[in-house]
Amino acid sequence: MSNDKILLKAEHIDKRFGITHAVNDVSITINAGETRALIGENGSGKSTFCQMLCGIYSIGGGTFTLDGQEMHVKNQVEANKLGVSIIVQEMGTLSGLTVAENIFLGHEDPFMHYGIKDTHAMIKEGQRLLDEYGFNNIRAGAMIDSYNFEDRKLVEIVKATYMKPKILIVDETTTALSQNGRLELYKIMDAVRADGRSVIFISHDLREILEHCDTISILRDGEYIDTVNSKDVNEDDLKRLMVGREIGSAYYRTDYGKPISDEVVLSVKNVSVYGQIEDVNFDLHRGEILGFGGLSECGMHEIGKAIFGASWGRKGTVTLADGTNIDDIPSAIKHSIAYASKDRDNESIILNESIRNNVVLPSLDDLAEKHILKSGKLNKFAQEYADKMQTKMQSIHQFISDLSGGNKQKVVLARWLGKGSDILVLDSPTRGIDVKVKQAIYALMSELTAQGKSIIMISEEIPELLGMSDRIFIMKDGKINGTFNRSETLSEEDLIAKMV
Amino acid sequence: MQNFKNSRLFGYFILGAMVLFFYALFKVLSPTNFGSPANLYSYFQSSIIYSVGGCGLYFIVVMGLFDFAVGSNIVLSSIIGVILSEKFGYLGFVVGCLGCGTLIGILIGFLYNKLNVPSMIVTVGLMLVFESLAVFVAGGVKQTLAPELRFFSGAPGNIILAALAFALMWFILNYTRIGTYCNAIGSNEFTAKNMGIDVKKYKLIGFALLHFFVGIMAILTVSYGTTMTALTGMSTMSRNFQPLMGTFFGVAFRKYGTPISAIVIGEFIIAIIFNGFVALGAPTTIQNVVTGAALLIIVTLTARGKRGSVVK
């Protein structure tokens, strides 16, 4: 669909955050009718680049020229008016407003007459758009709060695309969507391309990128590396371009047929959480990686919370080998259970705190000497485990909010490594994380299980489940619907058959 | 069922059920002294002053701000209104109260934006200033509203004025950008900024609107009481809380799309509880304890976050 007309020209785009050079003199051009993927490790500058394009960040240097016109935008609405819109990874709709108010936020002018808003016309137009997109289960006049995360993401898709932007940026959105939601998004991306407009698509799922994008631009450490045609490369080529070296066979585990220890370290019996999971039973063995998979909303994420004592109204028992019951978070931590949530920023880390304080948090009792905490000891402890995880940081005193998603996850893991946890519950451990950090996390998981530690890995990524788990439980409607042992012959289709 | 639980009708259902519950409770406990139609009408009239203030406070509370200068503005604006009424009659009275109220709101909003410190601190500081200013303007003398200017002291004047205030709020919330933008700022200020919303401007508008409604409260307050005395030493602080209780109802019922009705009915419920205790002959301290507890129970039952959610 791409033609030779240049739609977007980015010349010498530059951005610094303090001493971090987030985007370093990046120049790319995107043709009309093209879907361009932007890939790179966490912290490579791809999101920052796009956020400058759509007015969320000011431009540090360089120029964007859209359809021959140089852009000078101060916020998203100004970018929208020039023809650039974005769908973000996290929640992009606002509570307390109706669906229609969210769709038209900042664009109310067509509904304003002498300062008075024609609310009925706004709702009617919102509903017309929702129906046109096929999202007719969503009511434009209803409060946005009455819809779940995925429906709100669909509203955001309408909001970003109804005005037919010349450039649509999709920033790691697909991980928030179910398979159906993803298909709807792909259809919209195809329609944009067919219409002679362009899409910038950011994702860590390389297979998805190769399937849906025409060309791929690679950024590394804020610098432009190359642009390639999707037809000319494979996943390994992209990994190599992203990381700057070969990422090959060591990506996932290669061992098969390793016997699972008979020693049970954790027993989950008849565990239910109302509306989430029902009558779940399983044993976790020493040195095992037990994978949980399924469609979003299948209940698998609640499993992690239930084991860690973080579920409200949990029924049933979670018991350690010595008979200790785990009913709440303090007892879970005390008895060497660690938990890394899928919602990293809200549930795993304290954003407005330093890396040091995030790492030492659960270990303060162990580090205290006669109830006194000594700064030097805390620093040493945090430095040791942050280094062990090869966290990319300026110092342990840097705020964790400054780090990329992958490095935040390293801090979370450093915290539990430091605590010496024997059972790790990792929910979506590589969500939004680039291949290099993924590889490091997988290597760490193998190392930990070799030491006799046990891992429950909850994942929405089927290759990850197949590649890393000793056993896989597939959840459906809150129940375990299928159990698989690690095998070379196990396929994605086998797992999918139990998910749907 | 889930749709019904999120609907406006369900919101009205809960509010109605609460009115009936408290009415029935006090009617059983005090069948003769409480709850005749005339009594209920009286409770309603006493509650509408606070409902007006609750409507004004909604604009800033929904943005995550607070204002402790409401009480001091009621006193100052009503004193200014009464002084002006002596020369210009009703025009001076109404314009004095509304004008002074609104100007104070603009001043608070301006200082809040310029000083960049929490609204609670700004308004506590300004409360002390306004209290002293009221004493200075009144010259230490009790200000009395002339008998011929007391149209708003009872029905229908007070009800007409309050109804106009409620209608104005309904219009602003539903048919202007202000309502949408106040909610958006309260939900996520950063995103609101990225949507091109001038956050500082709308916070200033929020304070100005709040204190315009406080100006209406001043008209009703001095009309009901006929006199106003300026006092210092944070004595106006207690005037802040009753309107705020109505606002809590409004914020709690926002999810049902019924904030104004919730403020008005919520204040009526509080009036029922207050008067119920009066009918029972309970001491004021007990009344306050039980009213506070009732507010906590009501808001907990209607507005508490999901289990496990973080509430600040």
Side-chain angles (χ1 to χ4, degrees):
Chain A
M1 299 289 177
S2 170
N3 57 46
D4 291 338
K5 182 191 167 196
I6 293 175
L7 187 60
L8 178 75
K9 188 186 273 186
E11 293 174 291
H12 308 294
I13 298 298
D14 208 86
K15 183 75 180 174
R16 285 176 184 273
F17 295 107
I19 61 167
T20 306
H21 206 161
V23 176
N24 186 357
D25 195 27
V26 170
S27 298
I28 56 173
T29 55
I30 296 175
N31 288 347
E34 179 182 355
T35 297
R36 170 72 60 90
L38 211 50
I39 64 169
E41 296 177 63
N42 295 112
S44 61
K46 51 195 187 300
S47 287
T48 307
F49 177 86
C50 288
Q51 287 176 352
M52 282 190 280
L53 174 59
C54 67
I56 295 175
Y57 289 147
S58 60
I59 301 171
T63 53
F64 286 111
T65 307
L66 179 67
D67 217 2
Q69 187 190 353
E70 198 169 303
M71 294 175 69
H72 299 281
V73 294
K74 294 191 195 77
N75 56 49
Q76 259 178 276
V77 170
E78 288 184 13
N80 291 163
K81 283 176 182 161
L82 289 181
V84 178
S85 63
I86 184 167
I87 308 167
V88 296
Q89 183 182 14
E90 303 301 339
M91 188 88 82
T93 50
L94 293 177
S95 298
L97 308 185
T98 63
V99 170
E101 282 174 330
N102 264 289
I103 292 173
F104 300 110
L105 189 63
H107 297 279
E108 295 92 350
D109 285 348
F111 308 103
M112 301 300 291
H113 306 288
Y114 304 105
I116 298 169
K117 187 173 76 180
D118 187 344
T119 306
H120 297 291
M122 182 186 272
I123 292 172
K124 198 174 162 190
E125 178 61 9
Q127 194 59 56
R128 189 190 69 74
L129 288 169
L130 289 162
D131 292 345
E132 188 181 299
Y133 278 75
F135 306 151
N136 37 18
N137 61 316
I138 302 172
R139 309 315 301 164
M143 297 300 283
I144 194 82
D145 312 61
S146 58
Y147 292 100
N148 64 23
F149 188 86
E150 180 164 3
D151 284 340
R152 291 177 73 157
K153 196 48 76 180
L154 297 178
V155 171
E156 212 185 319
I157 290 172
V158 175
K159 176 185 171 65
T161 55
Y162 82 89
M163 63 191 79
K164 302 206 178 300
K166 291 174 186 169
I167 299 277
L168 171 66
I169 303 166
V170 182
D171 187 356
E172 291 186 45
T173 303
T174 46
T175 50
L177 297 172
S178 67
Q179 196 55 35
N180 282 343
R182 287 181 192 200
L183 292 176
E184 291 298 333
L185 179 61
Y186 298 147
K187 267 192 230 165
I188 290 163
M189 285 165 54
D190 289 343
V192 170
R193 180 166 53 175
D195 206 21
R197 296 173 285 131
S198 304
V199 179
I200 298 178
F201 187 71
I202 299 177
S203 170
H204 285 297
D205 185 338
L206 298 179
R207 191 166 60 173
E208 177 182 56
I209 279 172
L210 289 170
E211 279 173 16
H212 296 283
C213 300
D214 304 308
T215 49
I216 303 162
S217 290
I218 300 102
L219 299 182
R220 191 193 308 150
D221 295 329
E223 292 181 7
Y224 172 76
I225 301 299
D226 199 3
T227 295
V228 294
N229 282 314
S230 301
K231 288 175 189 158
D232 303 335
V233 290
N234 58 30
E235 286 187 43
D236 284 340
D237 296 330
L238 294 178
K239 286 176 198 168
R240 191 179 60 251
L241 284 163
M242 284 167 67
V243 178
R245 62 181 168 80
E246 204 72 40
I247 297 271
S249 54
Y251 197 82
Y252 291 124
R253 285 170 59 185
T254 51
D255 61 295
Y256 289 93
K258 187 184 102 179
I260 298 169
S261 162
D262 290 335
E263 187 182 343
V264 172
V265 293
L266 182 94
S267 281
V268 173
K269 298 265 182 255
N270 309 114
V271 165
S272 299
V273 176
Y274 179 72
Q276 305 271 352
I277 50 176
E278 196 181 328
D279 202 24
V280 173
N281 291 279
F282 65 89
D283 288 335
L284 177 69
H285 298 256
R286 177 172 295 283
E288 174 188 33
I289 298 178
L290 176 57
F292 274 88
L295 300 177
S296 61
E297 312 282 325
C298 71
M300 61 180 172
H301 301 296
E302 197 61 29
I303 292 276
K305 288 189 165 80
I307 293 167
F308 194 57
S311 283
W312 286 90
R314 189 199 78 190
K315 290 179 183 161
T317 58
V318 176
T319 315
L320 296 176
D322 63 2
T324 307
N325 281 326
I326 304 297
D327 294 322
D328 52 37
I329 296 171
S331 65
I333 294 173
K334 187 179 167 193
H335 292 96
S336 212
I337 299 178
Y339 172 64
S341 167
K342 177 188 176 188
D343 188 355
R344 198 178 300 135
D345 281 6
N346 289 312
E347 294 181 2
S348 275
I349 57 173
I350 299 172
L351 269 177
N352 294 322
E353 265 296 355
S354 66
I355 294 164
R356 184 196 83 159
N357 288 351
N358 269 281
V359 172
V360 300
L361 203 58
S363 304
L364 289 177
D365 283 347
D366 309 328
L367 293 168
E369 291 174 19
K370 295 178 183 168
H371 304 290
I372 305 291
L373 292 169
K374 292 183 178 167
S375 189
K377 195 170 179 181
L378 299 187
N379 291 346
K380 194 178 162 199
F381 179 88
Q383 189 75 53
E384 179 186 344
Y385 288 99
D387 286 347
K388 198 168 266 184
M389 286 307 303
Q390 296 177 326
T391 310
K392 208 192 259 182
M393 59 184 177
Q394 287 156 21
S395 85
I396 53 166
H397 302 293
Q398 188 183 1
F399 267 42
I400 196 168
S401 52
D402 293 342
L403 302 185
S404 64
N407 281 296
K408 284 176 186 163
Q409 185 72 318
K410 284 181 175 180
V411 172
V412 173
L413 295 172
R415 168 196 294 168
W416 295 118
L417 275 188
K419 182 67 184 163
S421 304
D422 291 324
I423 296 171
L424 293 98
V425 182
L426 307 178
D427 190 348
S428 311
T430 61
R431 186 178 82 96
I433 284 175
D434 65 68
V435 285
K436 193 173 166 189
V437 182
K438 262 187 186 180
Q439 190 185 33
I441 290 174
Y442 294 146
L444 175 75
M445 287 166 69
S446 296
E447 190 186 321
L448 292 172
T449 51
Q451 292 167 13
K453 296 181 190 294
S454 307
I455 296 172
I456 291 175
M457 180 183 72
I458 300 158
S459 177
E460 290 165 2
E461 306 296 328
I462 298 175
E464 184 171 78
L465 287 167
L466 289 169
M468 293 305 297
S469 310
D470 291 296
R471 286 186 299 154
I472 301 169
F473 289 169
I474 297 299
M475 304 271 303
K476 186 183 174 189
D477 299 332
K479 295 178 182 169
I480 294 173
N481 194 45
T483 306
F484 302 91
N485 287 321
R486 182 173 181 78
S487 160
E488 274 180 291
T489 57
L490 191 60
S491 70
E492 294 193 18
E493 287 71 25
D494 296 331
L495 302 193
I496 291 168
K498 290 290 178 185
M499 289 180 185
V500 294
Chain B
M1 188 61 191
Q2 194 58 37
N3 283 343
F4 174 65
K5 277 194 162 181
N6 287 319
S7 70
R8 196 175 289 241
L9 196 62
F10 187 68
Y12 285 125
F13 171 75
I14 297 178
L15 287 166
M18 283 195 290
V19 170
L20 285 177
F21 172 78
F22 285 107
Y23 175 77
L25 181 71
F26 286 107
K27 191 70 186 166
V28 168
L29 293 173
S30 179
T32 50
N33 296 335
F34 174 85
S36 68
N39 284 346
L40 285 176
Y41 185 49
S42 160
Y43 307 157
F44 176 69
Q45 290 202 60
S46 69
S47 73
I48 57 174
I49 296 185
Y50 306 117
S51 302
V52 170
C55 286
L57 275 162
Y58 182 87
F59 289 108
I60 63 153
V61 170
V62 85
M63 286 193 279
L65 306 172
F66 270 102
D67 191 324
F68 286 123
V70 166
S72 59
N73 192 11
I74 292 170
V75 173
L76 180 58
S77 294
S78 53
I79 285 172
I80 300 264
V82 171
I83 290 171
L84 288 178
S85 74
E86 288 164 7
K87 280 197 173 179
F88 304 106
Y90 270 117
L91 183 69
F93 178 46
V94 171
V95 172
C97 289
L98 296 182
C100 174
T102 310
L103 282 174
I104 281 181
I106 292 169
L107 176 68
I108 292 172
F110 175 78
L111 286 175
Y112 166 75
N113 281 335
K114 284 289 168 199
L115 298 176
N116 207 22
V117 292
S119 54
M120 244 187 273
I121 296 170
V122 173
T123 53
V124 166
L126 288 173
M127 172 188 64
L128 297 169
V129 174
F130 298 147
E131 281 185 352
S132 302
L133 196 60
V135 171
F136 175 73
V137 171
V141 179
K142 183 198 285 184
Q143 299 295 319
T144 305
L145 186 67
E148 64 274 19
L149 298 178
R150 293 177 188 169
F151 174 68
F152 301 111
S153 64
N158 58 347
I159 293 176
I160 291 171
L161 185 60
L164 286 173
F166 302 146
L168 177 66
M169 182 181 181
W170 174 79
F171 178 78
I172 292 169
L173 284 185
N174 293 292
Y175 293 98
T176 70
R177 284 186 169 97
I178 298 167
T180 307
Y181 286 2
C182 287
N183 281 323
I185 291 166
S187 175
N188 187 327
E189 196 170 317
F190 182 73
T191 306
K193 262 186 197 161
N194 275 325
M195 291 293 133
I197 297 170
D198 186 339
V199 171
K200 285 192 170 182
K201 176 179 153 188
Y202 281 92
K203 282 183 176 174
L204 190 144
I205 289 173
F207 276 111
L209 277 173
L210 157 60
H211 285 276
F212 176 79
F213 280 78
V214 170
I216 300 174
M217 269 187 94
I219 294 173
L220 292 170
T221 304
V222 77
S223 296
Y224 275 39
T226 70
T227 62
M228 181 58 75
T229 307
L231 295 167
T232 54
M234 292 197 179
S235 56
T236 60
M237 190 64 129
S238 60
R239 290 181 186 269
N240 295 325
F241 296 109
Q242 203 143 340
L244 197 55
M245 287 202 242
T247 307
F248 290 154
F249 272 91
V251 174
F253 280 79
R254 186 170 59 138
K255 62 184 174 187
Y256 304 114
T258 58
I260 304 170
S261 314
I263 292 169
V264 176
I265 298 172
E267 292 288 4
F268 182 54
I269 290 168
I270 292 165
I272 286 177
I273 297 171
F274 261 123
N275 287 288
F277 279 109
V278 170
L280 288 173
T284 312
T285 44
I286 298 291
Q287 289 174 32
N288 288 342
V289 167
V290 178
T291 306
L295 178 76
L296 285 176
I297 292 166
I298 291 164
V299 175
T300 303
L301 291 175
T302 55
R304 66 176 173 171
K306 285 181 184 169
R307 288 198 302 176
S309 63
V310 177
V311 179
K312 289 184 177 172

